Structures are given as C-alpha cells and as structure tokens.
Amino acid sequence: MQPLGARPAAEADVEARLRGHIETLAADAMEGRKPGTPGGDLAAGYIASQFAGLGLVPGGGDGGFYQPVKLVERRSGTIAADWRIAGTVVSIAPTEMALRGGDGAVRTAALPIVFGGYGVEDARAGLHPFEGVDVKGAAVLILSGQPEGVAHAPGYAARREALLKAGAAAVLRIETDEQGWPQLRDTLNEPRNELADDAPAPITGALSPAAWQRIAEAAGLSALTPADMVKRDFRARRIDGTAAFSIDNVSRPYTSWNIVGRLPGNDPAAGALLYLAHWDHLGLCRPEGVPDRICNGTVDNASGVAMMLEVARGLIQSGKRPVRDIWFVATTAEEMGLLGAHALAKAPPVDAAKIAAVLNFDTVAIAPRGAPVAMLGRGQPALDAAVDAVSRRMGRRINPSDAANALAQRQDGWAFAQQGIPAAMVGGSLNMDLLQAYLGQEYHKPGDDLSQPLPLDGVAQDVELHVALGLMLADPKRYRPPPR
C-alpha cells in the first residue's frame, strides 16, 4: 500500500522530462522563440527532433515535419489625415493619431464620418446604436473601454470587426485616458504580423483624447456623456464633414513553421483527433540596455509544448493503438493573432470534416497536482461528457464552470471552433483563479522565465488525463462528434 497522496514513480519520470523540455525551450539561447528569428528556428527544430525521436510520422508536407506558414510584417511609416468638420479644417498632428492598414502607400478619398458612441450592439441591453445608420464606406469613430452598466458588452476588438464586416472603410478608437495615450499609440505603431495570403486589413487605429475633443467640438458633440451613449435611444450620428487618410506602410515577408506529426490509428477513415500547442513567444520584448530583455515564455507556452510531447509519448507507450489518427501540431505565431492555427485550419493535415475534436495546450504549468479538471469550451455535450467520464474514472475532481470560455478567442482552438469543429482546453490550469493570478503577474513579461516555481506535478497529472482522454476521443465507438 502507498501512503495517502503518494505519486507513482512513472509520474515523477514524466515530470522530469517535462522540466527538460521546458528548460530547453525557455532557455535564453532561444531568445523568446519569436517567429522569423534564429531563436524561433531553434525552437521549431527542437520540436521536430522530438517528434522524430518519439516515432511520429511526419505530417508537414514534403516528407518532413515542417508546414510552412508564410507571414508578412507590416509597419506604418509616415501617416497623415485631413479632417474637415462643418466647413472647418480640424488640425490633428501625427502624434495624436495611430493609423495602420493596407500595403505600400494607402491614400483614401474624403470619407464620410460616423460617430457611434461605444458601438455596442447588445440585444439583451436593448442597445442598437447603428440601427438605421449606414456605415459602408465611412470612417467610424467609437470609444475605447467598456461602457458602465452593460454586463455583456463585447470588447473593443469585436466591435471593430463587426463594423469592418459591415463595410466601414476605417474604424478608429477614441482613447479616453490622456495618460494612457502615449503607450497605446506606441503599441499600435509597433510592427504587426499577418498571414501573407490574407487581404491587407482596412484602416484601423486610434485618436488621442485631445484630438477627439477638437473633432467633437467642431461637430457639436461635446455635450454627449458616456451615460448618454448607453441609453436605449442612442443612435450613431453622421458627422457633417469628411476625413481622408494617408499611410505609408513598410512590409517584410518571411516564413515560419507549424510542426506536424501523426500517430497512425487503426482506421484513418474514422477521422482524426488533433492536439495543439503554440511554440512561439514574444522574443526580445524590452529595449537594448535593460538587465533582462528576453520574454522567455516559460509558462506561455514552453509548458504547453512540453505537455503535448509527453502526451504523445504516453499514447505511444500505452500499448493501445488508437482507432482514429492522432495529430500533434506545434503552431507558430499564436502571439501574433493565432496566425499559425488559422493557417492550419485553412490547410489542415486531414480533411476538416473528419476532425472529431481539437485539444489545445496553453499556459499549463500553473496548477498543482489535485487541481479540479476544468474546461475552456465547456458547453459541448459530447465533449463535456467524455472529459467528465475520464476525469471521474481517474479520481479527479471536476470544475463544471464555463467561466474559462471568456478566453475562447485568445487561444489556438478558436481557429477550429469557428468552423464548428469541437475544440477545448482541459486540465487543472483552466481554473480561473489560477489563470487570473498568472495573467496578472508574469504573463508576457521577462519574469515568465525559469526562475519561477513551476508546479509540474500538476502538469504530469494532466498528461495522464490526456492520454486516457485521447484514447477515448480517438475511438468512434466511445466518442461521436456532433454532426456539422
């Protein structure tokens, strides 16, 4: 008999291997694993070598593990705008704006201007600011931040994308915090990365509080308060005037890679299960001369890649060959907007209609052994039932909350969920108190390095959970995805 709480020796071995992977991927030599850099190439090479050592079948094309992901880095150079409101030229300096979008030199005609308040469309709150207002071809201005008293308000990015989808030629956010403006402007002026085969984005950006104040005064909107803009009868207003924009963009194309391997099943025609974990991070994220300028990405997401490698090892060593094929993909450019995952979803290694489920690993080394099994993606009956059944069988507590779903669009599984493919993240790290604690501390900072404590006993326990879960999801008799 073992003492209460004793750990199997095999689990300690898994923990030791997890630490080895993490120490390699988060080492300073990788310089933060930014795609398009030597450190990023080193990380991709390490993962490919691990896939080969495990005996996975190459699935990246051309007989290798590498799936090329063609990217382009775009940076805004000189910007200018001509604002004419109610017959008056409103002078806005380049330092009071941030403009981005398009390729090369972008010049627009004089665009009509629409002010949309917060731009929140929320049927539950009775808010329909754009009802009866045509934004097609217009420059739309909306406030940043979340309106008070609106519980389900979508974030700014979702509001912006809805307006672009409706045909807006430009969407600019109005910053309301004068002290925060310099940081926002500098952030928006940083180089941005996109998939090379995506159409260049329309014009987006921001206005400083001082710039908006002058526009609002010229347009007769100064008396509007934030409270006015969340009233049910508030409607977007067409401003008497136009705005014309000029942006000179600089582009740099480059190639990164998703690393793809396959564990063959007994019946590939039965479909496939995908495991994902992004290998990239932020690279050299602080200016030269500071003591620590590397964002190593130890938890985010060297830990997730390490977990995926050990799940692959556990499935191979289980002696139980899956029925469905199981694919393992280390994705690139997640930190740039899930770009590697979107590229994978556009050209998956197996017919998308045959993908039974997608399980993603991200930021896993934050939960101790014994943490309840939680999910990002709870609310999918077939997948929920499989996760709960395996968890109970392994003696794990279950956290039935769907609170982690609030982060669904911030992780790689989202690229597949948008296509109706069941996707989730599962394990102890999905408990929101643990996640919020990490996000509020070392997330995306140089402190996410190897000096911090890593509860790898919890990761090792989740590896065991995912080996069992993978065998279930790869068995069409035990798991059937919903029709789509």
Side-chain angles (χ1 to χ4, degrees), residues 6-185:
R7 299 171 53 208
E11 196 171 292
D13 292 341
V14 172
E15 185 177 337
R17 288 194 297 269
L18 287 166
R19 186 171 297 279
H21 297 313
I22 292 171
E23 288 177 347
T24 299
L25 290 167
D28 283 352
M30 297 282 183
E31 292 191 329
R33 306 189 306 277
K34 186 173 183 178
T37 68
D41 294 345
L42 280 173
Y46 174 78
I47 298 163
S49 70
Q50 292 297 309
F51 278 7
L54 288 168
L56 296 178
V57 176
D62 297 329
F65 290 104
Y66 293 83
Q67 179 196 53
V69 179
K70 295 188 179 300
L71 302 167
V72 60
E73 178 187 86
R74 294 187 173 98
R75 176 172 53 84
S76 297
T78 304
I79 65 170
D82 180 31
W83 298 87
R84 297 176 184 265
I85 313 277
T88 302
V89 175
V90 179
S91 178
I92 307 294
T95 55
E96 297 178 301
M97 299 181 293
L99 299 175
R100 58 198 305 181
D103 252 336
V106 176
R107 307 286 185 267
T108 74
L111 306 174
I113 307 171
V114 173
F115 172 65
Y118 284 100
V120 171
E121 290 278 352
D122 189 336
R124 286 172 288 188
L127 300 179
H128 303 285
F130 293 102
E131 187 174 67
V133 180
D134 186 8
V135 301
K136 191 171 183 179
V140 183
L141 314 181
I142 57 175
L143 290 173
S144 64
Q146 297 297 100
E148 290 188 15
V150 184
H152 304 287
Y156 170 77
R159 290 177 261 156
R160 178 194 63 209
E161 294 308 309
L163 288 166
L164 293 174
K165 188 175 181 180
V171 179
L172 304 185
R173 65 186 286 177
I174 300 165
E175 179 55 46
T176 56
D177 178 9
E178 191 69 57
Q179 290 185 332
W181 166 249
Q183 181 177 354
L184 173 63
R185 180 195 61 213

Side-chain angles (χ1 to χ4, degrees), residues 3-378:
L4 184 65
R7 299 171 53 208
E11 196 171 292
D13 292 341
V14 172
E15 185 177 337
R17 288 194 297 269
L18 287 166
R19 186 171 297 279
H21 297 313
I22 292 171
E23 288 177 347
T24 299
L25 290 167
D28 283 352
M30 297 282 183
E31 292 191 329
R33 306 189 306 277
K34 186 173 183 178
T37 68
D41 294 345
L42 280 173
Y46 174 78
I47 298 163
S49 70
Q50 292 297 309
F51 278 7
L54 288 168
L56 296 178
V57 176
D62 297 329
F65 290 104
Y66 293 83
Q67 179 196 53
V69 179
K70 295 188 179 300
L71 302 167
V72 60
E73 178 187 86
R74 294 187 173 98
R75 176 172 53 84
S76 297
T78 304
I79 65 170
D82 180 31
W83 298 87
R84 297 176 184 265
I85 313 277
T88 302
V89 175
V90 179
S91 178
I92 307 294
T95 55
E96 297 178 301
M97 299 181 293
L99 299 175
R100 58 198 305 181
D103 252 336
V106 176
R107 307 286 185 267
T108 74
L111 306 174
I113 307 171
V114 173
F115 172 65
Y118 284 100
V120 171
E121 290 278 352
D122 189 336
R124 286 172 288 188
L127 300 179
H128 303 285
F130 293 102
E131 187 174 67
V133 180
D134 186 8
V135 301
K136 191 171 183 179
V140 183
L141 314 181
I142 57 175
L143 290 173
S144 64
Q146 297 297 100
E148 290 188 15
V150 184
H152 304 287
Y156 170 77
R159 290 177 261 156
R160 178 194 63 209
E161 294 308 309
L163 288 166
L164 293 174
K165 188 175 181 180
V171 179
L172 304 185
R173 65 186 286 177
I174 300 165
E175 179 55 46
T176 56
D177 178 9
E178 191 69 57
Q179 290 185 332
W181 166 249
Q183 181 177 354
L184 173 63
R185 180 195 61 213
D186 293 347
T187 298
L188 291 176
N189 285 331
E190 289 177 355
R192 62 200 181 278
N193 294 267
E194 298 162 352
L195 292 174
D197 59 358
D198 282 352
I203 294 172
T204 59
L207 294 170
S208 73
W212 167 243
Q213 183 178 2
R214 294 199 294 278
I215 293 171
E217 287 175 354
L221 297 174
S222 297
L224 273 176
T225 68
D228 293 330
M229 299 174 205
V230 291
K231 291 179 179 177
R232 291 180 175 230
D233 61 352
F234 175 81
R235 293 294 179 270
R237 288 102 188 273
R238 180 69 65 96
I239 290 176
D240 177 17
T242 60
F245 302 104
S246 171
I247 312 171
D248 291 315
N249 296 290
V250 179
S251 299
R252 178 182 71 90
Y254 64 101
T255 300
S256 188
W257 296 273
N258 291 332
I259 313 303
V260 186
R262 176 172 63 95
L263 174 60
N266 286 323
D267 183 11
L273 168 65
L274 265 65
Y275 280 110
L276 308 178
H278 75 90
W279 60 256
D280 66 298
H281 199 57
L282 303 181
L284 301 176
C285 61
R286 295 293 185 272
E288 289 188 37
V290 300
D292 184 2
R293 59 189 302 241
I294 302 174
C295 280
N296 301 80
T298 297
V299 172
D300 179 20
N301 188 37
S303 69
V305 174
M307 181 171 171
M308 182 175 68
L309 291 171
E310 289 308 304
V311 169
R313 185 191 307 274
L315 285 164
I316 291 168
Q317 293 181 348
S318 71
K320 301 173 183 177
R321 187 170 180 178
V323 180
R324 296 181 169 116
D325 282 354
I326 301 181
W327 293 81
F328 299 88
V329 186
T331 56
T332 185
E334 187 268 357
E335 302 290 4
M336 299 171 175
L338 317 184
L339 298 184
H342 283 300
L344 182 70
K346 287 182 179 180
V350 62
D351 182 356
K354 292 186 176 181
I355 299 176
V358 176
L359 296 176
N360 184 36
F361 302 137
D362 197 343
T363 309
V364 299
I366 60 174
R369 178 179 170 81
V373 176
M375 285 181 68
L376 184 160
R378 187 167 283 280

